[in-house]
Amino acid sequence: MSASAAVQRPAVCVRCLLTAGGVLVAIAASFAYLAIDFGALFSRTALASMGRFVAEFFPPDTSAEFLRRTAWGALQTLAVSALGTLLAMAAGAVFALPASGRFGNAARRAMRFVLNLLRSVPELVWAALMVLAVGLGPFAGALALALHTTGVLGRLFGETLENVPKDAERALREAGAGALAAFAYGSLPLVWPQWLAYALYRWEMNIRMAAVLGFVGAGGLGQMLYFHLSLFQQAQAATVIAAMFLLVFAVDSASSRLRRGLAPAYA
């Protein structure tokens, strides 16, 4: 064998093989531990039962009164997602300053811990806590989204601010500008398009979560869906599900278009 052939032979990655084997073993162990019976799931009786259940959702309830109520629930869900995202964006921008290390390493570590704590608690848990704190309704949902999303956006905003070039801000400080003016005119214009893109992306996610938070009493389409499913009113539930799909599709399309418009600014 020539020396060139020996050099071109790919080396065997023992660690990769061990990792892949470990993942496969974990997957097999998970199926064994959960005791999933695929035979029962795809049996003729189970398929017939699922077919009857799906058929009960058709046709959806398209009465004028119920469509009006569904439209109001969709508007409520949209408002919850928008308000929660706006509150989180404002709080995340404030928390990003210490999280980026602008007030020292101790403040950076403390704020990173707070942000990690906020986003480690799922939105449904925050919603359950907010329902206990402020009562049932969309305000609890907006607060729940704001708390969780603050942890996410604060971390993303802080990392963006930490990595932005400091030359413009430093030049303004050396020219006699104050700290706030130097930040507003030197660093903020550089990070603002990326911050807005992150916020729009989180809004896409929050509109989905806002539709689910109603299951714990946070209002909107989720609360309507839970109510009608609990009463086995599948026709009404089908209309609510369709409204969820249309609302999420509209918000995703609008947000994606806005983020594409921002792309040249932060590419």
Side-chain angles (χ1 to χ4, degrees):
M1 183 181 295
S2 63
S4 60
V7 172
Q8 294 176 358
R9 177 184 298 173
V12 177
C13 179
V14 178
R15 180 177 297 179
C16 298
L17 293 176
L18 291 176
T19 302
V23 171
L24 292 176
V25 170
I27 293 174
S30 298
F31 277 102
Y33 176 76
L34 295 175
I36 300 176
D37 189 355
F38 287 103
L41 178 63
F42 296 105
S43 66
R44 181 178 301 178
T45 303
L47 292 176
S49 178
M50 287 187 284
R52 287 193 301 271
F53 178 73
V54 172
E56 291 175 356
F57 285 83
F58 296 96
D61 187 347
T62 56
S63 62
E65 174 62 21
F66 190 74
L67 288 178
R68 185 190 64 80
R69 289 172 49 203
T70 304
W72 177 254
L75 182 62
Q76 198 173 69
T77 298
L78 180 64
V80 166
S81 67
L83 180 58
T85 304
L86 285 174
L87 291 175
M89 191 177 180
V94 173
F95 293 165
L97 297 175
S100 64
R102 287 178 169 262
F103 300 123
N105 196 36
R108 178 180 181 273
R109 288 198 299 266
M111 185 52 63
R112 289 291 180 98
F113 174 79
V114 172
L115 294 175
N116 289 338
L117 179 63
L118 288 175
R119 72 173 181 272
S120 65
V121 179
E123 294 95 327
L124 280 173
V125 177
W126 278 124
L129 294 174
M130 291 303 101
V131 165
L132 294 176
V134 301
L136 297 172
F139 184 48
L143 290 178
L145 288 178
L147 287 169
H148 180 83
T149 309
T150 294
V152 177
L153 292 182
R155 180 64 181 269
L156 294 174
F157 289 179
E159 290 180 351
T160 304
L161 189 59
E162 192 174 7
N163 296 326
V164 74
K166 304 297 192 300
D167 299 340
E169 186 175 350
R170 189 179 301 112
L172 289 172
R173 293 295 300 272
E174 292 175 354
L180 182 60
F183 171 76
Y185 292 100
S187 295
L188 188 59
L190 299 177
V191 300
W192 177 250
Q194 185 71 70
W195 283 9
L196 185 56
Y198 282 141
L200 289 172
Y201 178 68
R202 286 301 307 183
W203 185 35
E204 292 180 20
M205 303 179 69
N206 283 345
I207 193 68
R208 298 178 180 87
M209 185 50 61
V212 176
L213 293 183
F215 278 81
V216 292
L221 291 175
Q223 189 164 336
M224 289 184 65
L225 181 61
Y226 176 76
F227 174 78
H228 291 292
L229 284 178
S230 63
L231 296 179
F232 302 101
Q233 297 176 346
Q234 278 84 343
Q236 288 75 17
T239 304
V240 176
I241 293 173
M244 285 181 174
F245 171 77
L246 293 175
L247 181 61
V248 170
F249 178 78
V251 170
D252 282 1
S253 299
S255 177
S256 298
R257 183 172 299 180
L258 289 172
R259 284 191 288 112
R260 281 197 301 269
L262 290 170
Y266 65 87

